Amino acid sequence: MNSEEEFYDAETEVAQGTPGKTNEDGGITLSKQYPRLAPVGLDSDNSSGEYTDTNQRSSQMTLTNQHASADGDRGVQENGFKKHRTTLPAPMIPRNNFSVWSILKKCIGLELSKITMPIVFNEPLSFLQRITEFMEHTYMINKACTQTDPILRMQCVAAFAVSAVASQWERTGKPFNPLLGETFELIRDDLGFQFISEQVSHHPPVSAFHAEGLNKDFIFHGSIYPKLKFWGKSVEAEPRGTITLELLKHKEAYTWTNPTCCVHNVIIGKLWIEQYGTVEIINHSTGDKCLLNFKPCGLFGKELHRVEGYIQDKNKKKLCMIYGKWTECLWSVDPATFESFKKDKKGVEHKKPKQNEEEIKTENDEADDMPEIQETVQVIPGSKLLWRITSRPSNSVQMYNFTHFAVSLNELDKDMKGILAPTDCRLRPDIKGMENGDMDLAGNEKERLEEKQRASRRERAKNNEEWQTRWFTQGNNPHTKTSDWIYTGGYFDRNFTDCPDIY
């Protein structure tokens, strides 16, 4: 690989009329071999079909708002969609002079949800807002709704499931633990959904969410109980809980659980993130399944961020293969082509010279270091592009590595203040203090809120009262029959008179 022409960019190929072509289903098929995909830092690709226009409108809103205030009035853009902020009020506070070892050294192998961490290791978002980032690539759900072939719908759902965790790339800050009864709502006319979440339990911490398409074409819901453990040099987050996507027009329901997320070098060295584990997406209407293996980094880092899997029918026949990176892109190809390519690649790798024992020992000693050179996705001829990650703001590093979508989540203008529930986490003074760069205020307010929560719990115990959730009730998932939290409706009627005072 010694020439820039040997790198493949699907967008450029389509724009220039080169060998790739756009399929009827909106994907891009290679008709010529391109050994590698160009390093991805581009906007979302054209594989989203007619919904690409929505993404382009969102990007244009961002570009035309470069000088907008970090919060306050942004008004309505000419195309009728609300403009969203493109920067935070203050840059991220450096963490170089802080050590977490004094707190974590007594917690090896323990569950971390009850451990109080220094606020400097947080990011100015609640975990409820972090869950909302699942919705950044809603256009993949919209595309699934338009497909007539159930396998193409499964491909879109698989791409959405991968895209839903892509925002975690390089996000090493810890979101604020939601207070019991805390909520977060989001309505995005440009992306076509409305979303509501509630912290329904504190011990164990459980966050429930429910989203609907504004065209009444899908429902996306679930509850998440993040189990955190410290393993010496890393913190592992296992996102327990079922995620459900219902495509109403097709009368289909898909369920899955997200992969495990691990943050490395929490004691010393550069923090870096990997996700691993098997994600099984089940279509409960057809019996089709998609199994995606989020691969661990491995000893030499060859598998870092890689995702590989397949879609099978109810008879376990493989219908297509899926591969890529959750930090870059996702492709599909037929099984025979995939296996032939892997076989040929394996033969080439066997011819490479083996490392000597000293080199292996050195790499073993540095097993927690992130590989400096990361091979990008090697595109198999005949593959179809399913999804590509969206570029981040140019100053994302100074904004906790937020995406454009994440930057907008905590914005609060005067119109919103009058209609939000009093429990909405945009109103949390500790998060707002950190967002504004006032760490002393943020720390003091966080301590005050936690003590207020403890006092409320003691008062309920004294009066033998149980906490009552407001928007969700515990029940069984109708598709998996497992325990879940179900939205009871009514939030957007905006009757907030009986909401608890948690701030």
Side-chain angles (χ1 to χ4, degrees), residues 328-472:
E328 293 186 13
C329 54
L330 203 66
W331 299 78
S332 70
V333 71
D334 70 89
T337 302
F338 182 85
E339 294 302 329
S340 175
F341 180 84
K342 296 288 278 189
K343 184 178 180 181
D344 292 344
K345 184 179 179 182
K346 190 174 182 180
V348 172
E349 288 179 346
H350 282 168
K351 296 179 181 179
K352 292 181 180 179
K354 294 184 178 180
Q355 291 178 293
N356 60 44
E357 292 183 3
E358 188 62 31
E359 288 175 328
I360 293 175
K361 182 178 184 301
T362 300
E363 297 202 36
N364 268 321
D365 292 340
E366 301 176 354
D368 247 9
D369 289 342
M370 181 170 152
E372 294 183 7
I373 301 176
Q374 300 173 34
E375 180 182 355
T376 191
V377 177
Q378 189 167 4
V379 181
I380 302 172
S383 295
K384 182 181 73 174
L385 182 62
L386 300 178
W387 164 80
R388 175 175 289 166
I389 198 168
T390 305
S391 61
R392 294 189 177 183
S394 59
N395 59 337
S396 179
V397 174
Q398 286 76 46
M399 298 192 296
Y400 305 88
N401 287 309
F402 281 3
T403 63
H404 287 288
F405 187 85
V407 167
S408 71
L409 288 177
N410 210 46
E411 63 184 351
L412 180 63
D413 58 41
K414 66 179 183 180
D415 293 332
M416 296 171 65
K417 290 179 181 178
I419 64 172
L420 285 177
T423 50
D424 194 284
C425 47
R426 293 179 183 88
L427 304 174
R428 277 187 65 160
D430 51 352
I431 294 179
K432 185 59 68 175
M434 184 178 191
E435 184 180 77
N436 290 328
D438 191 337
M439 300 300 286
D440 290 337
L441 173 65
N444 292 336
E445 285 294 331
K446 180 174 181 287
E447 185 177 341
R448 180 186 67 81
L449 292 175
E450 290 171 347
E451 179 52 39
K452 182 173 183 176
Q453 181 171 240
R454 286 189 288 267
S456 296
R457 185 169 64 248
R458 290 192 296 267
E459 186 67 20
R460 289 195 303 274
K462 178 182 176 181
N463 297 327
N464 199 26
E465 295 176 353
E466 293 289 335
W467 174 262
Q468 298 296 319
T469 55
R470 183 64 178 83
W471 310 108
F472 292 81

Side-chain angles (χ1 to χ4, degrees), residues 168 226-229 235-240 259-263 276:
Q168 297 194 53
K227 189 79 171 179
L228 304 178
K229 283 193 174 182
V235 172
E236 186 180 78
E238 180 186 352
R240 299 180 180 181
T260 294
C261 180
C262 185
V263 181
Y276 45 76

Side-chain angles (χ1 to χ4, degrees), residues 145 213 215-219 246-252:
C145 291
N215 293 327
K216 306 299 181 184
D217 47 359
F218 73 85
I219 297 175
E246 300 179 25
L247 304 182
L248 302 181
K249 172 184 173 182
H250 300 287
K251 299 180 179 179
E252 289 180 338

Side-chain angles (χ1 to χ4, degrees), residues 169-236:
W169 181 34
E170 297 186 330
R171 293 278 290 281
T172 55
K174 175 184 175 294
F176 281 71
N177 292 332
L179 301 168
L180 185 61
E182 183 176 310
T183 61
F184 181 71
E185 70 162 87
L186 185 64
I187 301 175
R188 289 291 296 260
D189 294 328
D190 55 332
L191 300 179
F193 72 84
Q194 63 182 23
F195 177 100
I196 174 62
S197 58
E198 179 182 4
Q199 190 69 8
V200 294
S201 174
H202 187 61
H203 290 305
V206 181
S207 307
F209 66 91
H210 179 94
E212 297 179 358
L214 296 180
N215 293 327
K216 306 299 181 184
D217 47 359
F218 73 85
I219 297 175
F220 179 60
H221 58 95
S223 52
I224 295 180
Y225 165 28
K227 189 79 171 179
L228 304 178
K229 283 193 174 182
F230 174 53
W231 296 114
K233 291 191 284 185
S234 62
V235 172
E236 186 180 78

